[in-house]
Amino acid sequence: MRAVIQRVAGARVTVEGEITGEIGRGLLVLVGVAPGDGVIDTEVLGDKLAGLRIFADDDGRMNRSVRDADGGVLVVSQFTLYGDTRKGRRPSFVGAGTPEEAQPLIEALTERLRTSGVTVATGRFGAMMAVELVNDGPVTLVVDVKDGRIV
């Protein structure tokens, strides 16, 4: 699994004019699933997201997690994170998991976050989504998880 994590002052996802997910302060997480990813990867990524200390403490240091900061997480499935641009001008997406592989893992990730005490909002799997965000910092990180390990 691959996640692009952005610390935000606010973010929302709209599908066909309807807001499907919205948070205030927190994390916008774009998530891609690769073939062979499994539930253990969702657990590791969910725990990392819930505990990642990238929010300021009282001294202005990045020392608080989204949970500590009472923030939310907006999870958006994005297969294009596995786009391969090494050859030609059109990306190849053979490195992305199929929708049948990806959807249950995205759902497992959101459930892991919820059971970790984090408020979670989502986009709509497989839909054309408009994602709006206000970067905070900006702070943007990439986390890759494979076989239950951060790589």
Side-chain angles (χ1 to χ4, degrees):
M1 296 187 87
R2 177 169 294 150
V4 175
I5 305 157
Q6 295 180 299
R7 188 178 71 186
V8 297
R12 71 175 161 191
V13 175
T14 306
V15 177
E16 297 178 2
E18 172 193 351
I19 297 173
T20 63
E22 185 171 23
I23 61 169
R25 183 176 186 210
L27 302 174
L28 169 63
V29 183
L30 307 174
V31 182
V33 174
D37 286 347
V39 172
I40 187 69
D41 300 312
T42 68
E43 293 169 355
V44 169
L45 181 56
D47 292 348
K48 177 62 79 174
L49 294 170
L52 195 60
R53 298 184 328 174
I54 59 173
F55 290 86
D57 63 15
D58 293 337
D59 296 324
R61 297 186 60 164
M62 282 198 267
N63 211 17
R64 289 188 176 144
S65 69
V66 68
R67 203 174 23 216
D68 298 334
D70 292 322
V73 177
L74 177 56
V75 175
V76 177
S77 176
Q78 187 154 358
F79 75 94
T80 61
L81 293 179
Y82 281 102
D84 183 349
T85 61
R86 290 177 291 182
K87 294 182 182 176
R89 295 177 188 220
R90 180 179 299 156
S92 169
F93 298 105
V94 297
T98 65
E100 295 78 21
E101 292 171 305
Q103 187 169 12
L105 294 178
I106 298 296
E107 291 170 1
L109 173 63
T110 60
E111 185 57 30
R112 181 66 173 210
L113 286 164
R114 285 185 180 110
T115 60
S116 296
V118 177
T119 300
V120 180
T122 64
R124 184 175 298 152
F125 188 89
M128 183 63 83
M129 296 176 270
V131 181
E132 300 173 64
L133 67 136
V134 177
N135 272 318
D136 180 20
V139 174
T140 303
L141 301 166
V142 177
V143 174
D144 284 307
V145 180
K146 193 68 179 167
D147 299 324
R149 296 178 322 128
I150 304 286
V151 293

